[in-house]
Amino acid sequence: MTLLHLLIYFSSLSFLGYAVSYFKSPHMKNEFKRFGLERVATFTIILEIIGALGLLVGLLSNLILLVASGGLAALMLLGVLVRIKVKDSFLVSLPAAFFMVMNAYIFYKAVEIAQSGIEAA
């Protein structure tokens, strides 16, 4: 198994776990309230679920991998910006930045794969 595969599985399972915790834990819903994003919370979680599943499907289809990883990287960029806006500390913001960079890397590798003509990651 390659590093890319490990990152895809790790990112996908992490986003799916976050989505489950959103529906089970009031803390997650309170975070969206704190960010002033209560109205888009469910939509955001749905995007994360679609992105996580897209990463897994992306193991078979590089186009899906491109869309999913690019979408998750963009979503995490917005997450970092929100955390900056609410003045969260660097340590509290670090997970969002980490997932942004990881999915940007997956996106970069998917672009390389597309350029080389190989279909699967």
Side-chain angles (χ1 to χ4, degrees):
M1 183 175 295
T2 67
L3 174 62
L4 179 60
H5 286 98
L6 289 172
L7 293 175
I8 289 169
Y9 287 122
F10 179 74
S11 182
S12 179
L13 293 175
S14 296
F15 277 102
L16 289 172
Y18 185 85
V20 168
S21 68
Y22 173 80
F23 291 109
K24 291 194 172 247
S25 166
H27 171 72
M28 296 298 187
K29 290 182 178 142
N30 289 335
E31 281 290 284
F32 278 94
K33 287 179 189 175
R34 184 172 74 86
F35 299 148
L37 298 172
E38 185 177 8
R39 291 181 26 214
V40 296
T42 303
F43 179 66
T44 302
I45 296 303
I46 290 169
L47 289 176
E48 290 183 6
I49 292 168
I50 291 169
L53 295 175
L55 288 176
L56 295 175
V57 173
L59 291 166
L60 302 173
S61 169
N62 195 57
L63 177 60
I64 303 285
L65 184 61
L66 279 164
V67 173
S69 61
L72 288 172
L75 198 59
M76 290 298 96
L77 172 62
L78 293 173
V80 168
L81 294 174
V82 165
R83 290 194 173 276
I84 291 169
K85 181 182 174 196
V86 299
K87 296 182 177 33
D88 278 351
S89 72
F90 174 76
L91 283 178
V92 172
S93 303
L94 196 55
F98 171 77
F99 280 97
M100 176 189 70
V101 170
M102 180 172 42
N103 279 284
Y105 176 78
I106 293 169
F107 178 82
Y108 171 78
K109 296 304 280 183
V111 168
E112 281 187 345
I113 290 167
Q115 290 174 342
S116 70
I118 301 168
E119 175 56 27

